[in-house]
Amino acid sequence: MNLVDDFLAHSLAAHKTYGEEASRYILECILQRKIHRLTVIPQKVWYGEAPGSHGVRLDVYLDEEDGEIFDMEPDNNSGIDDVAALPRRVRFYHAKIDAGTLMAGEDYSALRNVIVIFISTYDPFGRNRMVYTIKSGCVEEPNLPYEDGASTIFLYTKGTKGRPPEALRQLAQYMENSTAGNARSVELTRLHEMVMRVKSDREVGLAYMKAYEAEKRIREKERAKGKAEGKVEDIIELLEEVGIIPEELEKRIRAQKDLETLRMWLKLASRSKSIEEFEEADFRIC
């Protein structure tokens, strides 16, 4: 249960006692500045605008009081196709966050600054940097100020180029291997204390392991079956563990082909204690 292995998204950030404190420390270390009070929403979901259109599930959505919006994404999808698609994946995440936070009638100037942060144990660009910061700019005039409020940070835990601050280097090492031996500062010792308390919470641990096993099972099935088919079967299996699936609901699940929507339903099914809870939550986030 290392932080970069989904424990951050599924358990630590979601914890009612430690989620905000832990998330704020991680953000402050990565961004090298103070962060105000945060509202933490783990597994933030936005469905597509129409049936069949692509939705998104953000691992840790963070809303800073009188400040910016952050999305933290621990990511171990190091396959060639996954890495190649990262820039477009980030583009879509920014678009969904903007569309979901700009209210009807508001001017575009009301758009909040958004920082999407990917944390990975693989090097997404092969340049051995710990931090890659991406912002929009003008090709013809590189020095032209162009501030659209959107930026992306890729944090490669093993990177060394760019002289990353010692505190960030230690945090990156801890996130990849979350042991007491890697908690080498007062702040990391506090973070490790929070991690251990969350891990010892039986209810949290069971929820995490259920979600982790569901993810593992779906990844294994995807190797042998079509991706969508594998996810559908896992959702059905999880729901059958908590009740009898109504015929219309099963038809709806089997008819869904969008992979991101199926991933969202898989997470929801792994957390639901009844068929009714799954249906209610699904309609609520729609």
Side-chain angles (χ1 to χ4, degrees):
M1 289 187 185
N2 299 313
L3 290 189
V4 81
D5 295 328
D6 281 344
F7 184 75
L8 172 63
H10 288 294
S11 300
L12 183 59
H15 200 273
K16 61 183 180 180
T17 303
Y18 304 116
E20 194 268 347
E21 181 183 351
S23 298
R24 180 156 31 85
Y25 167 68
I26 292 170
L27 276 180
E28 289 182 342
C29 197
I30 293 174
L31 299 175
Q32 297 294 295
R33 65 174 175 82
K34 286 292 183 182
I35 299 294
H36 298 147
R37 182 184 178 89
L38 292 169
T39 298
V40 184
I41 307 176
Q43 309 296 303
K44 173 74 172 178
V45 175
W46 277 298
Y47 277 109
E49 299 302 318
S53 62
H54 210 298
V56 68
R57 173 182 55 81
L58 307 178
D59 279 344
V60 186
Y61 179 91
L62 302 158
D63 189 332
E64 181 185 20
E65 186 176 68
D66 299 322
E68 301 178 311
I69 292 173
F70 309 95
D71 168 38
M72 283 199 295
E73 299 284 331
D75 186 72
N76 285 313
N77 298 318
S78 58
I80 295 175
D81 292 341
D82 291 319
V83 175
L86 261 180
R88 293 177 186 272
R89 180 180 172 189
V90 168
R91 170 184 159 190
F92 187 76
Y93 281 22
H94 272 287
K96 294 300 287 186
I97 293 171
D98 286 343
T101 55
L102 186 66
M103 298 296 100
E106 284 189 314
D107 187 78
Y108 291 116
S109 61
L111 275 173
R112 306 269 298 282
N113 286 355
V114 175
I115 302 177
V116 174
I117 303 171
F118 271 78
I119 305 168
S120 67
T121 56
Y122 64 88
D123 189 344
F125 304 110
R127 303 295 178 91
N128 194 34
R129 284 189 174 274
M130 177 167 286
V131 178
Y132 299 91
T133 303
I134 311 297
K135 289 190 174 185
S136 300
C138 178
V139 173
E140 291 79 10
E141 295 286 348
N143 295 323
L144 175 71
Y146 185 86
E147 180 54 63
D148 60 5
S151 59
T152 303
I153 293 174
F154 295 93
L155 178 66
Y156 168 42
T157 57
K158 298 184 182 70
T160 59
K161 191 174 179 181
R163 297 181 181 179
E166 182 63 16
L168 179 58
R169 189 189 66 77
Q170 290 180 358
L171 173 64
Q173 186 175 32
Y174 179 79
M175 294 190 77
E176 184 175 351
N177 188 12
S178 305
T179 64
N182 282 330
R184 299 176 181 176
S185 68
V186 173
E187 295 80 7
L188 280 177
T189 299
R190 170 59 180 162
L191 180 63
H192 184 66
E193 177 185 319
M194 289 187 281
V195 168
M196 295 309 296
R197 288 186 178 180
V198 172
K199 285 182 178 181
S200 67
D201 188 320
R202 186 172 181 274
E203 183 176 344
V204 171
L206 288 174
Y208 171 79
M209 290 308 297
K210 188 175 182 181
Y212 176 80
E213 288 299 324
E215 287 280 352
K216 180 179 178 182
R217 182 167 40 175
I218 195 62
R219 285 195 294 268
E220 291 173 349
K221 285 192 173 185
E222 283 178 354
R223 296 189 185 101
K225 305 165 98 175
K227 290 185 177 181
E229 182 183 356
K231 285 180 171 55
V232 165
E233 293 304 322
D234 264 26
I235 294 167
I236 296 297
E237 288 180 20
L238 285 169
L239 291 178
E240 285 178 339
E241 292 177 5
V242 297
I244 299 174
I245 306 173
E247 183 179 350
E248 286 302 314
L249 176 59
E250 183 169 351
K251 285 182 180 179
R252 181 184 173 202
I253 294 171
R254 293 191 180 281
Q256 181 58 250
K257 303 300 180 186
D258 177 61
L259 291 175
E260 192 64 29
T261 298
L262 289 171
R263 288 190 187 101
M264 295 177 213
W265 284 353
L266 178 61
K267 297 289 186 183
L268 187 56
S270 72
R271 299 194 301 266
S272 296
K273 298 176 182 178
S274 68
I275 301 296
E276 291 76 17
E277 183 178 336
F278 175 85
E279 290 187 291
E280 289 173 4
D282 176 40
F283 283 116
R284 185 169 61 249
I285 60 183
C286 282

